[in-house]
Amino acid sequence: MEFIWALVISLICLIFVLIFAAIVRYAIDSSKTSQKLDVLIKEVHYLKTEIKKLQHHKQQDGSKHIIDEKV
Protein backbone atom coordinates (compact mmCIF):
# COMPACT_ATOMS: atom_id res chain seq x y z
CA MET A 1 0.00 0.00 0.00
CA GLU A 2 2.89 2.33 0.79
CA PHE A 3 4.28 1.79 -2.70
CA ILE A 4 1.01 2.96 -4.27
CA TRP A 5 1.00 6.13 -2.14
CA ALA A 6 4.61 6.84 -3.08
CA LEU A 7 3.72 6.36 -6.73
CA VAL A 8 0.70 8.68 -6.47
CA ILE A 9 2.72 11.36 -4.67
CA SER A 10 5.50 11.08 -7.25
CA LEU A 11 2.96 11.43 -10.05
CA ILE A 12 1.42 14.50 -8.43
CA CYS A 13 4.88 16.07 -7.98
CA LEU A 14 5.69 15.37 -11.63
CA ILE A 15 2.46 17.03 -12.73
CA PHE A 16 3.23 20.12 -10.61
CA VAL A 17 6.76 20.33 -12.04
CA LEU A 18 5.41 20.12 -15.61
CA ILE A 19 2.80 22.81 -14.88
CA PHE A 20 5.48 25.05 -13.34
CA ALA A 21 7.75 24.51 -16.36
CA ALA A 22 4.89 25.40 -18.71
CA ILE A 23 4.16 28.60 -16.77
CA VAL A 24 7.82 29.65 -16.84
CA ARG A 25 8.09 28.82 -20.54
CA TYR A 26 4.98 30.89 -21.31
CA ALA A 27 6.32 33.81 -19.28
CA ILE A 28 9.61 33.76 -21.19
CA ASP A 29 7.89 33.51 -24.57
CA SER A 30 5.42 36.28 -23.78
CA SER A 31 8.21 38.66 -22.73
CA LYS A 32 9.78 38.29 -26.19
CA THR A 33 13.21 37.99 -24.61
CA SER A 34 14.31 35.30 -27.05
CA GLN A 35 13.40 37.49 -30.04
CA LYS A 36 15.33 40.42 -28.57
CA LEU A 37 18.30 38.12 -27.96
CA ASP A 38 18.21 36.94 -31.59
CA VAL A 39 18.28 40.56 -32.80
CA LEU A 40 21.16 41.33 -30.46
CA ILE A 41 23.14 38.32 -31.72
CA LYS A 42 22.62 39.43 -35.33
CA GLU A 43 23.78 42.97 -34.51
CA VAL A 44 26.92 41.65 -32.82
CA HIS A 45 27.62 39.45 -35.83
CA TYR A 46 27.25 42.42 -38.20
CA LEU A 47 29.55 44.51 -36.02
CA LYS A 48 32.19 41.77 -35.93
CA THR A 49 32.18 41.42 -39.72
CA GLU A 50 32.38 45.19 -40.15
CA ILE A 51 35.34 45.40 -37.75
CA LYS A 52 37.10 42.62 -39.66
CA LYS A 53 36.52 44.48 -42.94
CA LEU A 54 37.90 47.70 -41.46
CA GLN A 55 40.95 45.90 -40.09
CA HIS A 56 41.53 44.21 -43.42
CA HIS A 57 41.39 47.53 -45.28
CA LYS A 58 43.64 49.14 -42.68
CA GLN A 59 46.21 46.36 -43.10
CA GLN A 60 46.20 46.80 -46.87
CA ASP A 61 46.65 50.55 -46.56
CA GLY A 62 49.36 50.27 -43.95
CA SER A 63 51.27 47.38 -45.50
CA LYS A 64 54.32 49.64 -45.89
CA HIS A 65 54.63 50.13 -42.14
CA ILE A 66 55.11 47.39 -39.61
CA ILE A 67 53.35 48.54 -36.47
CA ASP A 68 51.78 46.39 -33.79
CA GLU A 69 48.46 47.81 -32.76
CA LYS A 70 46.68 46.89 -29.58
CA VAL A 71 43.01 47.57 -29.35
Side-chain angles (χ1 to χ4, degrees), residues 10-39:
S10 298
L11 186 62
I12 291 172
C13 288
L14 180 65
I15 290 171
F16 280 123
V17 167
L18 290 175
I19 290 172
F20 182 73
I23 291 171
V24 170
R25 179 72 180 189
Y26 176 75
I28 290 172
D29 288 342
S30 66
S31 69
K32 299 179 183 177
T33 304
S34 58
Q35 292 173 352
K36 292 176 185 176
L37 185 61
D38 289 340
V39 170

Side-chain angles (χ1 to χ4, degrees), residues 53-65:
K53 286 179 185 177
L54 288 173
Q55 286 178 348
H56 181 67
H57 288 298
K58 195 172 190 180
Q59 286 176 353
Q60 286 180 347
D61 293 341
S63 62
K64 297 177 188 174
H65 306 293

Side-chain angles (χ1 to χ4, degrees), residues 51 55 58 68-71:
I51 289 172
Q55 286 178 348
K58 195 172 190 180
D68 292 334
E69 293 184 9
K70 293 183 180 180
V71 179

